[in-house]
Amino acid sequence: MTSRNVDLFDSTYSHFEADVLGRIRRKTFGEDFGQNSWTTADEYRRWAGWLGLSGRSHVLEVASGSGGPAIFLAELCGGRVTGIDINKHGIATAIERAAAHDLGDRVAFRLTDADAVLPFADQMFDAILCVDSANHFPERLRVLKEWHRVLKPGGIALFTDPVVVTGLVSKDELAERSSVGSFLFAPPGVNERLIAEAGLALIRQEDVTANAAMVSKRWHDARAEDREALVQIEGDERYAGLQRFFATVHHLTSERRLSRIAYLAQRSS
Ligand SMILES: C[S@@+](CC[C@H](N)C(=O)[O-])C[C@H]1O[C@@H](n2cnc3c(N)ncnc32)[C@H](O)[C@@H]1O
């Protein structure tokens, strides 16, 4: 991961609880559960249903961001959730949020590189969820093999890839789209092949691009309405860069040139 990537997430997570960012998330997502991606509460609830969780489940959330989604998931299913992320400000925010939600040891967060060997024993988790973050993992096959290792037999992994190349994309658009973080763009078929090579069975796949098209437009417009307050936090240059980023995501997804795909894969028993 480049240092540029870490810096960009740093600035988001270290101001995550600022009034202006909360206001923008509420305008963007309707229901703000602390997400920093293209997902909405309806979509997240639907995915929790796909995972078939119960109060006895232990879920690993990979790239847990602010921790909001992991806490939301623990409250939804009643089970345990462990979140990992590489960003220390994200993990610090997550630990604070978890304490405020009074979930005791049902939710835990660890600063961990998901693109490396995971610090967990074999067959520890019933399910894995990774939202809009797999595009940050250059060692995607190793990541999927690690998921296979830490899943219980019959366990399920759900991840989204928000940047599957499904149309013509210019080099400028690719540069703009990858301006937040270190990015890998995959053509259709690659994630499917890597899932199989990791020993997992793809049991469901869904095009969830529409959410990214909607969320990116709303995020852009909500930010524009709060420009002055955002510039105080981000500065002029970063504010303008992020506005270009959200506009580019909207164009590419609404024209289906980049697609966001959800993959549900299972470890055989
Ligand atoms: C678009 S955000 C999504 C966060 C969260 N899943 C959500 O829906 O709000 C991408 C996340 O990936 C994390 N990330 C990037 N590279 C990572 C890595 N190698 N290991 C763990 N987390 C990583 C970033 O810190 C960031 O929190």
Side-chain angles (χ1 to χ4, degrees):
M1 176 182 293
T2 64
S3 57
R4 188 163 167 240
N5 177 320
V6 173
D7 287 351
L8 284 162
F9 283 120
D10 273 1
S11 126
T12 303
Y13 293 135
S14 40
H15 295 98
F16 208 76
E17 306 295 356
D19 286 350
V20 59
L21 294 191
R23 188 161 62 239
I24 289 169
R25 285 199 301 277
R26 284 190 296 282
K27 282 188 194 165
T28 301
F29 298 108
E31 199 174 335
D32 165 27
F33 58 94
Q35 65 272 58
N36 185 38
S37 60
W38 312 117
T39 197
T40 50
D42 284 355
E43 188 180 63
Y44 211 79
R45 283 195 193 90
R46 201 158 59 85
W47 288 339
W50 288 13
L51 294 175
L53 304 175
S54 74
R56 290 184 307 282
S57 303
H58 188 184
V59 183
L60 174 65
E61 174 150 61
V62 175
S64 49
S66 75
I71 291 165
F72 189 61
L73 191 61
E75 288 173 339
L76 275 179
C77 77
R80 290 170 63 198
V81 182
T82 296
I84 58 169
D85 201 283
I86 202 169
N87 188 285
K88 65 174 195 272
H89 298 286
I91 293 293
T93 304
I95 290 170
E96 272 171 36
R97 283 180 86 105
H101 278 74
D102 205 15
L103 287 163
D105 62 3
R106 288 212 291 120
V107 177
F109 295 97
R110 278 175 86 147
L111 186 65
T112 300
D113 183 357
D115 201 41
V117 174
L118 297 176
F120 302 115
D122 296 354
Q123 303 188 9
M124 223 177 117
F125 297 101
D126 299 281
I128 294 175
L129 181 57
C130 178
V131 176
D132 295 339
S133 305
N135 50 309
H136 296 302
F137 306 151
E139 300 292 339
R140 199 168 311 178
L141 177 57
R142 180 172 69 189
V143 168
L144 292 168
K145 284 184 173 168
E146 277 294 281
W147 292 3
H148 181 277
R149 181 181 70 75
V150 301
L151 273 176
K152 291 178 185 167
I156 289 191
L158 166 53
F159 73 98
T160 58
D161 183 340
V163 288
V164 176
V165 182
T166 48
L168 295 175
V169 188
S170 74
K171 68 175 183 172
D172 290 346
E173 287 168 327
L174 283 181
E176 200 60 68
R177 179 61 183 92
S178 54
S179 61
V180 180
S182 98
F183 260 77
L184 287 95
F185 295 89
V190 168
N191 287 312
E192 293 86 330
R193 176 169 57 74
L194 296 178
I195 287 168
E197 280 179 28
L200 297 164
L202 182 62
I203 54 175
R204 185 167 181 168
Q205 184 170 336
E206 197 171 297
D207 186 320
V208 287
T209 312
N211 244 56
M214 175 190 76
V215 166
S216 52
K217 171 89 171 85
R218 287 196 194 161
W219 211 333
H220 175 277
D221 294 353
R223 284 173 50 85
E225 284 171 26
D226 252 315
R227 183 183 182 284
E228 235 169 84
L230 281 177
V231 167
Q232 300 282 323
I233 293 177
E234 298 172 352
D236 283 311
E237 202 181 320
R238 176 172 150 77
Y239 170 80
L242 280 172
Q243 289 304 84
R244 281 197 308 277
F245 166 75
F246 285 114
T248 302
V249 174
H250 178 65
H251 287 136
L252 290 170
T253 50
S254 57
E255 293 163 16
R256 301 286 166 151
R257 291 186 285 135
L258 285 185
S259 295
R260 176 173 178 256
I261 308 292
Y263 304 90
L264 189 69
Q266 186 166 32
R267 178 182 163 151
S268 60
S269 24

